[in-house]
Amino acid sequence: MEDYMLPCLFKQTFGFDCMGCGLQRAALLLSEGKFVAAFFMYPAIYPLLILALTLLKYALKPTEKTGRIVIFVAAGNAVVIVLAYCIKMKALFL
């Protein structure tokens, strides 16, 4: 399955990981039932799943409350993605 994954154009161009590097591999690990390995590959995988479920709920039954929840969950995802990226980049450059 890894043979069919898209290459990271950011990494190919600039030579270092982008904020999304690892997401495809984490999704593959998740589909194989390797939940801990998926988290370590891309820590934002679980918050992104929560966001996807929240967006699905909002798409099926849009309410003002659900819309606010989507914004809150999306902001939380952004924080997790940036923090995980900063930690990974710091580890790479030390």
Side-chain angles (χ1 to χ4, degrees), residues 19 42 44 46-56 58 65-83:
M19 288 190 197
Y42 192 73
Y46 295 113
L48 285 172
L49 287 175
I50 293 168
L51 177 62
L53 292 173
T54 307
L55 285 170
L56 179 64
Y58 183 71
K65 181 181 178 185
T66 310
R68 281 182 272 159
I69 292 171
V70 167
I71 293 169
F72 177 75
V73 173
N77 269 290
V79 169
V80 169
I81 290 169
V82 170
L83 283 175

Side-chain angles (χ1 to χ4, degrees), residues 1-87:
M1 193 68 172
E2 287 186 35
D3 296 336
Y4 300 105
M5 291 187 180
L6 297 172
C8 179
L9 297 177
F10 185 91
K11 187 172 184 173
Q12 287 179 345
T13 304
F14 298 107
F16 59 93
D17 291 351
C18 70
M19 288 190 197
C21 280
L23 178 61
Q24 289 183 91
R25 290 172 287 168
L28 180 63
L29 289 168
L30 200 60
S31 72
E32 294 172 351
K34 299 175 182 173
F35 303 112
V36 175
F39 174 78
F40 283 110
M41 180 62 63
Y42 192 73
I45 188 76
Y46 295 113
L48 285 172
L49 287 175
I50 293 168
L51 177 62
L53 292 173
T54 307
L55 285 170
L56 179 64
K57 181 179 178 183
Y58 183 71
L60 295 175
K61 187 177 179 186
T63 64
E64 185 178 325
K65 181 181 178 185
T66 310
R68 281 182 272 159
I69 292 171
V70 167
I71 293 169
F72 177 75
V73 173
N77 269 290
V79 169
V80 169
I81 290 169
V82 170
L83 283 175
Y85 182 71
C86 290
I87 291 168

